Amino acid sequence: MCQLSKQSNDTSAGGSEGSVQHDSAEEKTITSLFNEPHISTKPYSLTMPQASPGLPPRPEFMPFAVPFLCRLKPYDGKDFWTYPERCGWIINAKDEQCHPLCPPGHCEHGMSIEEISIEDDRVRPLMFSRSDGTEVLESDKVTFLQAWLFLGVLEEVSSLCGLDIDIAAEFIVDEDLISTEKLNSLPGRWFEATMRTNRAGDRDLVGHILTIGRHSAMLLRSELIDAEQNAKESYGVFEMSFLLYAYKYDYTYAECRVFHSLDLLIRIIGLHLLLHIRTPNFNATADDSWGPGRVVKSLMWVSARPQEGLHQLFDLAYDDLQERGWCPSELDALVDDNLAFASLLSRPRIRSRSRSNIDIPLTICRSPCSNTPGI
């Protein structure tokens, strides 16, 4: 049985449930967490993490910590699918799973690449609303999704696999942070639990877990608005097909990192499902259209838009790294996902050959720039 035993008795916090107030002193304190290296004390290499002592052959996701925003009202451990109703939320989207290779939430069957690109950028009705009719705020949305799509998904998938896990002990740090460190071992732990109950490779189990992963991926899709028809100031506006679109919500750095942890959990689910699909015991036929491509398309499909909050995270991480002395040429060489994880690192340094014997930043610049000395 899954457990979430650590709960605070403090119910007097102002604002929404466990939310981070924008532009406040608390926000600056929480954001400063991301200037520190990851929680784990394991040695990590920038190029070959699997070469470090004590690490498994598969490169791991670099662990990090995020604010425990839903601390005052965490996941309640009841039915996973009706959790929004119990919390006063309405979900205005549904994953029909129309075809095996269609991504969550919409159909791409028979579409050309150009048509898929247009579909990715289409402005859809907003997915979230409140049952009492109040406005959906960024802080409320992130808090709700952390409870449901992180704590709730962990508990639901662990229960399906038969893994007895104490979520509070493994993921909650100092009562106000959630660490992603233990996610790295979950694909194997879930699979070992299914082996003990003779469910490894069971198609029905794989289907149930995939449905949860697809549901999470659908709800983390970027929500767009038509900037020409909505005068509300937004985070960023971009041009596509001669129309202006904008991201609906403007998240803080800390909130963006929470979305990063939710996206990471979806990838962990995908890695677990691949273990089932590749086992000789997997009881699906070719006619069932099961295979690695179905998992990848369902959970990690390539879209023109990053998942909710991640586009802003990449931009904020870029600015953060520049402020901490990284050279623009280094940052421009990184893809967006690399920026998100690079922002968790301390900048590499080498010993100076000068008599002062001081540390100077290591840079790949071919010529001097304003941030770092040429080496």
Side-chain angles (χ1 to χ4, degrees):
M1 179 180 296
C2 304
Q3 301 177 21
L4 182 58
S5 55
K6 290 185 181 178
Q7 296 187 20
S8 171
N9 294 324
D10 180 12
T11 58
S12 60
S16 58
E17 301 161 354
S19 62
V20 178
Q21 300 298 318
H22 294 248
D23 300 324
S24 65
E26 180 185 1
E27 165 59 26
K28 294 179 181 178
T29 300
I30 292 176
T31 302
S32 67
L33 291 169
F34 305 128
N35 293 331
E36 299 296 329
H38 47 77
I39 287 178
S40 174
T41 57
K42 296 178 182 178
Y44 277 85
S45 166
L46 284 174
T47 54
M48 294 182 63
Q50 70 272 25
S52 300
L55 289 181
R58 178 182 66 81
E60 296 185 337
F61 293 105
M62 183 178 296
F64 54 90
V66 299
F68 189 5
L69 300 181
C70 61
R71 176 175 59 88
L72 300 181
K73 192 175 181 181
Y75 183 68
D76 58 12
K78 299 178 182 179
D79 180 64
F80 175 80
W81 297 104
T82 58
Y83 180 72
E85 298 175 18
R86 299 194 298 275
C87 297
W89 286 83
I90 300 174
I91 307 302
N92 306 307
K94 184 178 180 180
D95 180 22
E96 299 290 350
Q97 299 196 44
C98 50
H99 301 91
L101 296 182
C102 283
H106 67 277
C107 181
E108 293 182 353
H109 185 68
M111 287 187 177
S112 65
I113 296 178
E114 292 76 11
E115 290 171 330
I116 291 175
S117 178
I118 294 174
E119 178 68 15
D120 281 340
D121 292 313
R122 181 168 61 86
V123 174
R124 297 175 173 81
L126 297 177
M127 288 188 288
F128 300 91
S129 57
R130 303 301 299 266
S131 56
D132 60 4
T134 57
E135 181 183 1
V136 174
L137 302 178
E138 289 91 337
S139 56
D140 293 335
K141 179 181 174 181
V142 179
T143 298
F144 164 67
L145 290 179
Q146 185 183 60
W148 192 24
L149 301 187
F150 193 86
L151 300 180
V153 166
L154 279 176
E155 180 167 323
E156 187 72 7
V157 175
S158 296
S159 178
L160 286 172
C161 294
L163 177 65
D164 186 6
I165 183 173
D166 187 337
I167 294 176
E170 296 196 27
F171 293 93
I172 299 175
V173 181
D174 297 331
E175 297 187 352
D176 58 358
L177 294 174
I178 289 180
S179 170
T180 65
E181 183 171 9
K182 295 297 184 179
L183 290 181
N184 280 308
S185 64
L186 274 182
R189 291 173 63 193
W190 282 334
F191 188 73
E192 290 170 358
T194 63
M195 292 181 65
R196 290 192 293 269
T197 57
N198 296 319
R199 299 197 70 191
D202 183 87
R203 184 182 60 179
D204 292 337
L205 174 64
V206 171
H208 289 154
I209 296 175
L210 181 63
T211 296
I212 294 172
R214 286 178 60 95
H215 183 72
S216 296
M218 177 187 68
L219 296 183
L220 293 182
R221 189 181 184 92
S222 291
E223 297 207 81
L224 309 177
I225 56 175
D226 189 330
E228 291 183 328
Q229 297 179 4
N230 193 315
K232 179 180 178 180
E233 184 177 351
S234 61
Y235 171 79
V237 178
F238 55 90
E239 186 172 353
M240 182 66 66
S241 302
F242 305 102
L243 295 175
L244 289 176
Y245 298 98
Y247 291 99
K248 167 65 176 176
Y249 298 106
D250 181 6
Y251 300 106
T252 66
Y253 197 6
E255 290 167 346
C256 289
R257 191 65 76 176
V258 171
F259 278 114
H260 192 196
S261 69
L262 303 182
D263 179 70
L264 183 58
L265 179 53
I266 294 174
R267 295 170 182 266
I268 292 295
I269 290 175
L271 290 173
H272 169 69
L273 293 177
L274 292 177
L275 293 176
H276 285 280
I277 290 174
R278 289 170 174 162
T279 183
N281 298 328
F282 187 52
N283 56 357
T285 65
D287 294 336
D288 295 327
S289 299
W290 276 104
R294 183 170 183 174
V295 174
V296 172
K297 189 69 173 179
S298 292
L299 305 183
M300 295 165 277
W301 84 99
V302 178
S303 172
R305 297 287 148 257
Q307 295 287 63
E308 183 80 340
L310 296 191
H311 183 278
Q312 297 172 39
L313 173 63
F314 302 150
D315 287 346
L316 292 169
Y318 188 101
D319 294 340
D320 178 40
L321 288 167
Q322 271 199 298
E323 291 176 2
R324 288 158 52 193
W326 288 66
C327 176
S329 65
E330 295 172 316
L331 301 180
D332 292 340
L334 300 176
V335 298
D336 288 341
D337 283 341
N338 295 151
L339 285 170
F341 285 105
S343 62
L344 303 170
L345 292 168
S346 297
R347 191 163 187 273
R349 306 180 74 87
I350 62 173
R351 300 291 292 179
S352 170
R353 293 187 293 270
S354 66
R355 290 186 178 181
S356 60
N357 201 32
I358 60 174
D359 286 344
I360 58 177
L362 173 64
T363 178
I364 60 174
C365 284
R366 296 182 180 273
S367 60
C369 69
S370 59
N371 285 2
T372 55
I375 297 178

